[in-house]
Amino acid sequence: MKKIKDLVSRHKLLSAICLLAFIVIIMMMYVFFNLFVGGSNKYGDRLKGIENHKVEKKEQEEVVSFLKEKNEVNDASIRIQGKIIYIQIEYTKETSLDTAKAIATESLSKISNDEKKFYDIGYYLTQTSDDNSEDKGFIVTGNKSNELDSISWIKS
Protein backbone atom coordinates (compact mmCIF):
# COMPACT_ATOMS: atom_id res chain seq x y z
CA MET A 1 0.00 0.00 0.00
CA LYS A 2 2.90 2.32 0.84
CA LYS A 3 4.47 1.68 -2.59
CA ILE A 4 1.24 2.71 -4.33
CA LYS A 5 1.05 5.87 -2.22
CA ASP A 6 4.65 6.76 -3.13
CA LEU A 7 3.97 6.08 -6.81
CA VAL A 8 0.88 8.33 -6.80
CA SER A 9 2.67 11.14 -4.95
CA ARG A 10 5.61 11.06 -7.39
CA HIS A 11 3.39 11.03 -10.51
CA LYS A 12 0.49 13.30 -9.55
CA LEU A 13 -0.34 14.42 -13.08
CA LEU A 14 -0.27 10.89 -14.51
CA SER A 15 -2.37 9.63 -11.56
CA ALA A 16 -4.95 12.36 -12.13
CA ILE A 17 -5.14 11.54 -15.86
CA CYS A 18 -5.58 7.81 -15.12
CA LEU A 19 -8.32 8.51 -12.56
CA LEU A 20 -10.09 10.83 -14.99
CA ALA A 21 -9.85 8.24 -17.81
CA PHE A 22 -11.26 5.57 -15.49
CA ILE A 23 -14.23 7.80 -14.60
CA VAL A 24 -14.87 8.61 -18.29
CA ILE A 25 -14.78 4.90 -19.22
CA ILE A 26 -17.29 4.06 -16.48
CA MET A 27 -19.61 6.87 -17.65
CA MET A 28 -19.34 5.74 -21.30
CA MET A 29 -20.17 2.15 -20.34
CA TYR A 30 -23.24 3.36 -18.41
CA VAL A 31 -24.47 5.43 -21.38
CA PHE A 32 -23.79 2.59 -23.85
CA PHE A 33 -25.75 0.03 -21.86
CA ASN A 34 -28.67 2.40 -21.30
CA LEU A 35 -28.90 3.39 -24.96
CA PHE A 36 -28.19 0.17 -26.80
CA VAL A 37 -28.72 -2.72 -24.43
CA GLY A 38 -31.29 -1.23 -22.04
CA GLY A 39 -34.86 -2.25 -22.88
CA SER A 40 -36.24 -5.32 -24.54
CA ASN A 41 -39.35 -3.61 -25.96
CA LYS A 42 -38.73 -2.64 -29.60
CA TYR A 43 -41.33 0.16 -29.43
CA GLY A 44 -40.04 1.74 -26.21
CA ASP A 45 -42.67 3.91 -24.52
CA ARG A 46 -44.53 4.71 -27.74
CA LEU A 47 -47.18 2.06 -27.02
CA LYS A 48 -47.80 3.23 -23.47
CA GLY A 49 -51.52 3.04 -22.76
CA ILE A 50 -52.39 0.90 -25.79
CA GLU A 51 -53.99 -1.73 -23.55
CA ASN A 52 -56.70 0.85 -22.73
CA HIS A 53 -57.42 1.48 -26.42
CA LYS A 54 -57.81 -1.97 -27.96
CA VAL A 55 -59.64 -2.01 -31.29
CA GLU A 56 -61.91 -5.02 -31.17
CA LYS A 57 -62.21 -7.40 -34.12
CA LYS A 58 -65.91 -6.49 -34.35
CA GLU A 59 -65.06 -2.81 -34.86
CA GLN A 60 -62.51 -3.69 -37.54
CA GLU A 61 -65.06 -5.86 -39.36
CA GLU A 62 -67.60 -3.03 -39.13
CA VAL A 63 -65.26 -0.66 -40.97
CA VAL A 64 -64.42 -3.27 -43.62
CA SER A 65 -68.07 -4.20 -44.19
CA PHE A 66 -69.01 -0.49 -44.41
CA LEU A 67 -66.44 -0.07 -47.17
CA LYS A 68 -67.35 -3.27 -49.01
CA GLU A 69 -71.03 -2.21 -49.11
CA LYS A 70 -70.09 0.68 -51.38
CA ASN A 71 -70.54 -0.05 -55.10
CA GLU A 72 -67.26 1.70 -55.89
CA VAL A 73 -65.20 -0.62 -53.66
CA ASN A 74 -63.86 -3.96 -54.90
CA ASP A 75 -62.07 -4.96 -51.71
CA ALA A 76 -61.08 -3.52 -48.34
CA SER A 77 -58.92 -4.66 -45.46
CA ILE A 78 -57.72 -3.32 -42.14
CA ARG A 79 -54.59 -4.05 -40.14
CA ILE A 80 -53.29 -2.64 -36.88
CA GLN A 81 -49.60 -2.40 -36.12
CA GLY A 82 -48.46 -0.59 -33.01
CA LYS A 83 -50.37 2.69 -32.83
CA ILE A 84 -51.26 2.81 -36.53
CA ILE A 85 -54.44 1.54 -38.16
CA TYR A 86 -53.78 0.71 -41.82
CA ILE A 87 -56.83 0.67 -44.10
CA GLN A 88 -56.38 -0.58 -47.66
CA ILE A 89 -59.16 0.01 -50.17
CA GLU A 90 -59.27 -1.21 -53.77
CA TYR A 91 -61.73 0.63 -56.03
CA THR A 92 -63.46 -0.28 -59.28
CA LYS A 93 -62.04 1.24 -62.45
CA GLU A 94 -65.05 3.59 -62.84
CA THR A 95 -64.39 5.31 -59.50
CA SER A 96 -62.93 8.80 -59.60
CA LEU A 97 -60.13 9.86 -57.27
CA ASP A 98 -62.36 12.41 -55.53
CA THR A 99 -65.02 9.78 -54.87
CA ALA A 100 -62.38 7.40 -53.53
CA LYS A 101 -61.09 10.03 -51.10
CA ALA A 102 -64.65 10.87 -50.02
CA ILE A 103 -65.42 7.21 -49.25
CA ALA A 104 -62.19 6.83 -47.27
CA THR A 105 -62.95 10.01 -45.33
CA GLU A 106 -66.48 8.76 -44.67
CA SER A 107 -65.05 5.56 -43.18
CA LEU A 108 -63.57 7.68 -40.36
CA SER A 109 -67.10 7.95 -38.95
CA LYS A 110 -67.01 4.21 -38.18
CA ILE A 111 -63.98 4.63 -35.92
CA SER A 112 -64.66 5.89 -32.41
CA ASN A 113 -63.38 9.31 -31.37
CA ASP A 114 -61.34 7.71 -28.58
CA GLU A 115 -59.49 5.55 -31.11
CA LYS A 116 -59.04 8.46 -33.53
CA LYS A 117 -57.38 10.46 -30.74
CA PHE A 118 -55.03 7.58 -29.84
CA TYR A 119 -54.19 5.89 -33.17
CA ASP A 120 -52.73 7.31 -36.38
CA ILE A 121 -54.68 6.10 -39.40
CA GLY A 122 -53.03 5.27 -42.72
CA TYR A 123 -55.01 4.84 -45.94
CA TYR A 124 -53.82 3.07 -49.07
CA LEU A 125 -56.23 3.62 -51.97
CA THR A 126 -55.70 1.71 -55.20
CA GLN A 127 -57.52 1.44 -58.49
CA THR A 128 -56.36 -1.07 -61.03
CA SER A 129 -57.38 -0.97 -64.65
CA ASP A 130 -56.82 -3.03 -67.77
CA ASP A 131 -53.30 -3.06 -69.16
CA ASN A 132 -54.67 -1.91 -72.55
CA SER A 133 -56.31 1.28 -71.32
CA GLU A 134 -54.54 4.61 -71.21
CA ASP A 135 -55.83 5.33 -67.72
CA LYS A 136 -53.72 3.15 -65.42
CA GLY A 137 -55.78 3.93 -62.32
CA PHE A 138 -54.39 5.51 -59.19
CA ILE A 139 -52.44 4.74 -56.06
CA VAL A 140 -52.96 7.24 -53.27
CA THR A 141 -51.82 7.19 -49.67
CA GLY A 142 -53.38 9.19 -46.91
CA ASN A 143 -52.51 9.73 -43.28
CA LYS A 144 -54.52 11.02 -40.37
CA SER A 145 -52.54 11.91 -37.30
CA ASN A 146 -54.11 11.36 -33.91
CA GLU A 147 -53.69 15.09 -33.31
CA LEU A 148 -55.53 16.20 -36.47
CA ASP A 149 -59.12 15.83 -37.67
CA SER A 150 -58.45 15.52 -41.41
CA ILE A 151 -56.59 13.19 -43.75
CA SER A 152 -53.52 14.40 -45.69
CA TRP A 153 -53.41 12.80 -49.15
CA ILE A 154 -50.32 12.01 -51.21
CA LYS A 155 -50.61 10.79 -54.77
CA SER A 156 -47.92 8.25 -55.63
Side-chain angles (χ1 to χ4, degrees), residues 88-136:
Q88 184 170 352
I89 309 169
E90 182 182 320
Y91 292 95
T92 60
K93 56 184 168 176
E94 294 84 23
T95 307
S96 71
L97 181 58
D98 292 333
T99 304
K101 288 179 182 179
I103 290 171
T105 304
E106 190 179 347
S107 72
L108 278 176
S109 67
K110 298 298 177 187
I111 301 171
S112 73
N113 287 333
D114 186 39
E115 292 164 355
K116 285 190 265 188
K117 288 189 187 319
F118 187 77
Y119 289 93
D120 289 341
I121 302 173
Y123 284 94
Y124 187 69
L125 313 179
T126 58
Q127 178 192 51
T128 55
S129 63
D130 298 333
D131 291 334
N132 298 336
S133 73
E134 289 181 21
D135 182 21
K136 297 292 183 189

